[in-house]
Amino acid sequence: MGTRPDMSGSDATSRIQDPWGRRTPYGPGEDWPTRVDQHLADGVTTETVERWVRTASVLHSNGDGLDIAVADNRIVGVRGRADDRVNHGRVDVKDLYGWQASSSRDRLTRPRIRKNGQLVECSWDVAMDRIVKRSRELLDDQGPSAIGFYTSGQLFLEEYYTLGVIAHGAIGTNHVDGNTRLCTATAAEALKESFASDGQPGSYTDIDHADVIALFGHNIAETQTVTWMRTLDRLAGPNPPQIVCVDPRPTPVARHATVHLAPLPGTNVALMNGLLHEIIANGWIDEDYIDSHTVGFGALREMVAEYPPERAADICGVDADEIRRAARVLGTAKKLVSTVLQGFYQSNQATAAAVQVNNLHLIRGMLGRPGCGVLQMNGQPTAQNTRECGADGDLAGFRNWANEDHVAELARLWNVDKDKLSHDGPPTHAMKIFELAEERSLRMLWISATNPAVSLPELSRIRSILTQEGLFVVAQDMFTNETTELADVVLPAAGWGEKTGTFTNADRTVHLSEKAVAPPGESRPDLDIFLDYARRMGFRDKDGAPLPSWTDAASAFDAWRECSAGRPCDYTGLSYDLLRERGGIQWPCTDEAPDGTERLYADGEFYSAPDYCESYGKDIVTGDPVKPDEYRKLNPDAKALIKAAPYLPPGEIPSDAYPFSLITGRTVYHFHTRTKTARAPELQEAAPDVWVELSASDADARHILDGDLLAITSPRGTITASARITGIRPGVLFVPFHYGYWDCDANGHERAANELTPTDWDVASKQPIFKTGIASLALVRPGRR
Ligand SMILES: Nc1nc2c(c(=O)[nH]1)N[C@H]1C(S)=C(S)[C@@H](COP(=O)(O)OP(=O)(O)OC[C@H]3O[C@@H](n4cnc5c(=O)[nH]c(N)nc54)[C@H](O)[C@@H]3O)O[C@H]1N2
Ligand SMILES: Nc1nc2c(c(=O)[nH]1)N[C@H]1C(S)=C(S)[C@@H](COP(=O)(O)OP(=O)(O)OC[C@H]3O[C@@H](n4cnc5c(=O)[nH]c(N)nc54)[C@H](O)[C@@H]3O)O[C@H]1N2
Ligand SMILES: [Mo]
């Protein structure tokens, strides 16, 4: 493997214009060739880099192995790791430039507290004492239910586990969730519905073998660019795979697709039912696999019998023959890889739609073999860990909150009273946590590494909750942002490259990320902040020992290994040393599987035994939980579960007042609310301000030209954005959600997509529906013509 950096990857203008870089074609079953990308600060060369420090990417969930370049105790660049199983040296365009944010001069470097309405700098003692005092008052006055934690998919495993133990074990509140609720709650739920446990079945290496790759509501070309490079390299090689793309927009994925289905937003279940109808009607199914390894096929067959392609086509606004063509490609694939992301997870009937993709693989027997895998994708770099560690509305180690033995096991591990672990219902989901704050029963909210004042739906409501009297808000971040501005206490956090920890990507690959430089000013790793809080609160276990018992990242990792033992996400075979020696390793990694596990469910065995499973599942139409004894009857032999659902129309449907369907999402150049990417000049220049995509026919009908400034209005609010006329399907508007207000110029306008989105969520996963709204359009002023 050549480790010489590929200069095409380090040339700023070329990678902004072509985010995917040079092709390295390969054929089915071959090894994906290496291509090492690197970008260093001006004036820095490979010779002047003092050291390279091991890490992985944190601006998406792909988990690309990277080295951070350090000189003069500053981060001065990044290079892809040639030997990493995920990226074989490649680096995403955001990662090539995004590291510059770390040394930006406007980092938060001291804590702040609100005094007479203003945030003023203070010492750590003053800030932490204020938090401890308020926590004690609330615990005395109301008890644990007054306190909630809203965390992230961007901290490290060690940090989530610590937070989970503090919240569930030491305080005993059930109000703990992450922004993973906005991100991968549906991925987790779809896996729990089909396999009774979270855990990604597939592996990225399945791309190397597949003859069909299907992307369901996933603009992978812009959101997991390195895995798209892998796909492009297959497309450029011998015997390329066919691509099926399901997305209302003409994304770069759609441009490479054999079949592009562009359904009306919110109609995914109808489309999936139409596809499954055709596949079953043509007998493209594996009856042996269905008989031996699944329950529930009969109900699916009956359900989809009602969705012949014509009916599905009618609901989705696509051509029936195109549905047939896509069904043939999927149904006759010999090795099928499917990925699913926000076009399903944040749309109408999210869980029901994502489950149908699992069904496609189950009825075709396409799981657990090279080239046959489902990737219910993650989005954020560490979202998987929020889920594993129980910082997101699950219990640590994929334990089942509805199984008394699992709860008792956790209590034993943490040496606390079982009654302390509040588990009358599932841990409270994020949207509910904000509702409890609105109703004033939740009175302290500790927000870490997320910016809800831009990323949650219906922002006017979120702002009013965060500023309402009686809610004490702590915000812990690297930068000031729209949320820290509203907080009572702001804690300055160290970020990636400034602390050590592990994290796990979308295909279960665990990476170690090591501290490369000291954090700026008085900012501290999130782990230290959480542990400091625990010590100041005097949290103790049953024997009076400090809780949590650990003191740093390495000891937190050891505690987590113990917690994960015997569970699906078993880390017992992993150590920092092993991760240093080998790079990324996929869990489960145990004595029996010391090299990790490439694919789950290879032998058609699932984690779904009633006594073992993480979840008994839900009714995917109503969201009602399945009772333990019902589950035991339904699935006594630990098989996979096939679940069917009828199409139900979205909550909001375009009308005369709001004639458009509104969807929101991403561009390749920015990460979320841009606290990092807007501080990288190359990325910020590539996409400096918000826009709205609309079709040529909709633009013509309203005499709108490219670049005109438009007002977009929904029942929640109005934003202005410049027009971008694209091949998006008529009747649909797309607005990127990246643009909040912190860096708006003086005459800054209302521009955050979430001013428009509704307070609504999926019945099963509780993930907010950011992708099935309604809107109207008006010309504000013509652009430069
Ligand atoms: N560049 C970049 N990459 C990122 C991120 C980022 O902010 N920027 N964020 C990371 C994170 S946290 C996440 S979760 C992922 C998200 O990654 P993706 O899910 O790929 O990104 P989105 O743009 O949110 O949505 C994907 C597509 O869904 C389509 N869509 C909208 N509504 C519907 C619908 O009803 N049906 C169907 N079939 N499709 C629909 C949109 O047109 C859009 O192209 O990206 C990760 N990677
Ligand atoms: N309309 C619409 N809304 C959406 C979406 C959509 O597609 N459409 N997508 C949703 C999805 S999938 C997601 S994931 C969310 C993302 O939404 P957010 O999580 O709100 O977005 P980020 O900008 O990533 O916010 C992360 C914050 O953590 C800080 N941070 C980074 N690293 C660290 C660290 O190590 N420690 C600490 N303490 N802070 C750190 C960053 O500075 C930043 O302020 O948005 C959701 N909202
Ligand atoms: Mo996400």
Side-chain angles (χ1 to χ4, degrees):
M1 276 195 251
T3 49
R4 207 159 55 84
D6 175 353
M7 296 320 284
S8 76
S10 65
D11 172 5
T13 43
S14 75
R15 284 299 291 278
I16 292 292
Q17 279 153 20
D18 172 12
W20 308 288
R22 183 174 58 81
R23 291 283 58 76
T24 51
Y26 72 124
E30 293 171 9
D31 272 345
W32 185 28
T34 297
R35 180 191 96 190
V36 176
D37 299 342
Q38 147 180 326
H39 178 63
L40 299 174
D42 276 351
V44 177
T45 63
T46 311
E47 288 67 41
T48 60
V49 171
E50 286 159 18
R51 52 179 198 280
W52 295 95
V53 180
R54 172 189 297 278
T55 183
S57 52
V58 282
L59 297 176
H60 47 81
S61 62
N62 212 58
D64 304 324
L66 301 179
D67 284 325
I68 294 176
V70 181
D72 280 337
N73 283 319
R74 284 166 63 94
I75 298 178
V76 293
V78 291
R79 172 178 76 186
R81 292 188 65 88
D83 60 359
D84 193 89
R85 67 172 299 277
V86 172
N87 56 326
H88 297 213
R90 287 158 193 78
V91 181
D92 167 71
V93 65
K94 288 185 302 309
D95 297 315
L96 276 180
Y97 306 111
W99 52 265
Q100 298 170 84
S102 298
S103 45
S104 140
R105 271 193 294 272
D106 58 355
R107 284 284 299 272
L108 276 170
T109 53
R110 296 199 72 204
R112 297 179 186 184
I113 53 168
R114 196 167 289 281
K115 264 198 183 144
N116 305 323
Q118 299 296 314
L119 281 171
V120 293
E121 289 198 349
C122 65
S123 67
W124 274 101
D125 275 340
V126 169
M128 293 308 283
D129 284 350
R130 177 107 156 221
I131 299 172
V132 167
K133 182 164 169 275
R134 191 68 192 135
S135 306
R136 290 222 176 94
E137 283 165 4
L138 290 172
L139 288 174
D140 288 347
D141 183 48
Q142 180 183 330
S145 68
I147 301 179
F149 294 89
Y150 181 49
T151 189
S152 182
Q154 298 174 42
L155 298 181
F156 289 161
L157 175 152
E158 294 77 358
E159 297 173 327
Y160 298 128
Y161 187 50
T162 302
L163 178 62
V165 172
I166 289 173
H168 288 291
I171 294 178
T173 176
N174 214 18
H175 308 321
V176 191
D177 203 3
N179 67 356
T180 42
R181 185 65 59 183
L182 327 182
C183 183
T184 58
T186 305
E189 192 61 42
L191 294 168
K192 289 181 206 167
E193 294 304 335
S194 301
F195 308 112
S197 174
D198 196 346
Q200 192 68 265
S203 166
Y204 290 156
T205 57
D206 289 330
I207 307 267
D208 307 345
H209 303 273
D211 62 343
V212 174
I213 301 172
L215 300 113
F216 295 95
H218 184 189
N219 183 12
I220 191 173
E222 298 199 61
T223 58
Q224 262 109 5
T225 60
V226 169
T227 295
W228 183 239
M229 294 171 202
R230 197 167 194 150
T231 310
L232 288 175
D233 286 346
R234 279 291 320 275
L235 290 172
N239 302 314
Q242 300 190 77
I243 307 285
V244 175
C245 170
V246 181
D247 194 310
R249 292 192 308 139
T251 58
V253 178
R255 289 200 281 282
H256 286 85
T258 317
V259 193
H260 173 207
L261 298 170
L264 270 169
T267 63
N268 295 319
V269 166
L271 186 74
M272 292 308 304
N273 283 354
L275 292 169
L276 293 171
H277 172 105
E278 274 298 283
I279 288 168
I280 295 173
N282 281 290
W284 293 319
I285 57 175
D286 183 338
E287 284 178 13
D288 287 344
Y289 191 91
I290 294 172
D291 287 347
S292 317
H293 302 296
T294 71
V295 295
F297 176 63
L300 180 75
R301 193 208 310 257
E302 268 172 42
M303 176 67 69
V304 302
E306 309 205 358
Y307 291 84
E310 276 69 21
R311 177 166 178 225
D314 196 41
I315 296 170
C316 304
V318 301
D319 188 345
D321 281 340
E322 288 295 284
I323 296 184
R324 283 197 190 88
R325 205 154 75 88
R328 176 170 293 275
V329 172
L330 298 169
T332 59
K334 294 192 178 58
K335 294 179 180 178
L336 172 67
V337 173
S338 297
T339 76
V340 192
L341 202 50
Q342 301 307 354
F344 273 44
Y345 300 165
Q346 295 174 340
S347 189
N348 176 44
Q349 293 191 282
T351 304
V355 159
Q356 301 318 311
V357 180
N358 294 339
N359 288 345
L360 167 64
H361 283 260
L362 288 169
I363 67 173
R364 299 222 55 227
M366 295 224 168
L367 264 187
R369 287 184 277 131
C372 300
V374 184
L375 293 159
Q376 297 282 355
M377 290 300 302
N378 294 346
Q380 293 174 91
T382 76
Q384 186 65 49
N385 308 104
T386 323
R387 277 145 57 184
E388 291 159 14
C389 296
D392 75 323
D394 289 313
L395 291 186
F398 295 160
R399 285 182 175 78
N400 189 342
W401 66 266
N403 182 328
E404 288 293 323
D405 294 341
H406 288 201
V407 177
E409 195 179 33
L410 264 192
R412 258 197 317 277
L413 259 167
W414 297 345
N415 197 25
V416 296
D417 256 350
K418 186 168 156 241
D419 297 341
K420 185 95 197 190
L421 299 178
S422 151
H423 59 285
D424 300 339
T428 318
H429 64 90
M431 297 297 284
K432 184 79 190 168
I433 289 180
F434 278 81
E435 203 172 278
L436 294 175
E438 192 171 38
E439 293 164 359
R440 296 169 197 263
S441 82
L442 188 115
R443 291 152 71 193
M444 167 171 160
L445 182 60
W446 188 327
I447 298 167
S448 48
T450 182
N451 188 6
V454 181
S455 56
L456 278 174
E458 200 176 350
L459 290 179
S460 57
R461 171 173 173 257
I462 298 303
R463 281 190 294 267
S464 94
I465 294 172
L466 289 174
T467 49
Q468 102 196 350
E469 211 160 312
L471 180 68
F472 180 74
V473 177
V474 180
Q476 182 169 315
D477 208 285
M478 299 165 63
F479 299 100
T480 51
N481 61 25
E482 293 81 351
T483 303
T484 60
E485 289 298 287
L486 307 179
D488 297 289
V489 179
V490 179
L491 300 177
W496 169 88
E498 299 162 353
K499 57 183 183 181
T500 292
T502 49
F503 58 95
T504 307
N505 77 348
D507 85 340
R508 289 174 284 103
T509 304
V510 185
H511 283 103
L512 176 66
S513 181
E514 303 213 63
K515 178 174 172 180
V517 297
E522 294 174 27
S523 62
R524 302 167 68 190
D526 298 272
L527 178 70
D528 296 12
I529 300 173
F530 293 141
L531 287 175
D532 185 24
Y533 172 69
R535 299 294 180 262
R536 288 174 193 258
M537 288 294 290
F539 293 138
R540 305 261 158 202
D541 70 10
K542 277 201 300 202
D543 299 322
L547 182 72
S549 56
W550 46 92
T551 52
D552 59 6
S555 49
F557 186 76
D558 285 341
W560 163 250
R561 285 172 57 211
E562 200 189 332
C563 177
S564 75
R567 298 301 301 161
C569 50
D570 194 323
Y571 281 63
T572 47
L574 289 174
S575 65
Y576 282 10
D577 281 343
L578 193 69
L579 293 167
R580 273 187 199 112
E581 186 191 309
R582 299 236 209 114
I585 300 175
Q586 289 169 289
W587 65 245
C589 179
T590 58
D591 284 350
E592 295 79 53
D595 298 324
T597 306
E598 179 117 51
R599 297 179 183 81
L600 301 185
Y601 314 141
D603 38 17
E605 303 220 338
F606 301 92
Y607 300 127
S608 58
D611 292 332
Y612 184 79
C613 67
E614 179 185 10
S615 170
Y616 302 127
K618 291 176 180 160
D619 180 319
I620 58 174
V621 181
T622 62
D624 292 340
V626 174
K627 299 202 176 66
D629 48 332
E630 283 171 356
Y631 181 83
R632 212 171 274 281
K633 251 184 249 148
L634 176 70
N635 193 23
D637 302 320
K639 296 185 178 184
L641 299 105
I642 291 176
K643 293 192 175 184
Y647 164 71
L648 301 172
E652 287 189 337
I653 294 182
S655 60
D656 288 347
Y658 301 103
F660 288 94
S661 174
L662 173 73
I663 58 179
T664 59
R666 293 162 167 78
T667 167
V668 69
Y669 302 112
H670 279 301
F671 184 61
H672 299 166
T673 73
R674 296 174 314 117
T675 59
K676 291 179 178 171
T677 49
R679 289 180 168 89
E682 296 84 353
L683 299 170
Q684 180 60 3
E685 273 160 37
D689 205 348
V690 67
W691 70 89
V692 53
E693 287 180 33
L694 75 166
S695 73
S697 59
D698 289 327
D700 283 352
R702 288 165 181 75
H703 310 291
I704 291 167
L705 297 183
D706 232 20
D708 286 356
L709 192 67
L710 306 181
I712 304 119
T713 301
S714 86
R716 270 72 51 186
T718 296
I719 64 166
T720 51
S722 60
R724 206 180 261 190
I725 299 171
T726 72
I728 192 169
R729 63 167 298 157
V732 180
L733 303 178
F734 171 85
V735 180
F737 85 101
H738 303 295
Y739 300 91
Y741 311 109
W742 63 265
D743 66 334
C744 258
D745 45 25
N747 60 353
H749 47 265
E750 296 285 304
R751 62 175 186 172
N754 282 323
E755 302 292 349
L756 307 175
T757 47
T759 300
D760 190 9
W761 55 82
D762 182 60
V763 290
S765 68
K766 319 294 181 194
Q767 181 160 348
I769 298 173
F770 293 112
K771 291 191 178 14
T772 322
I774 53 172
S776 66
L777 202 65
L779 181 69
V780 176
R781 76 179 124 81
R784 270 190 225 121
R785 292 184 170 173

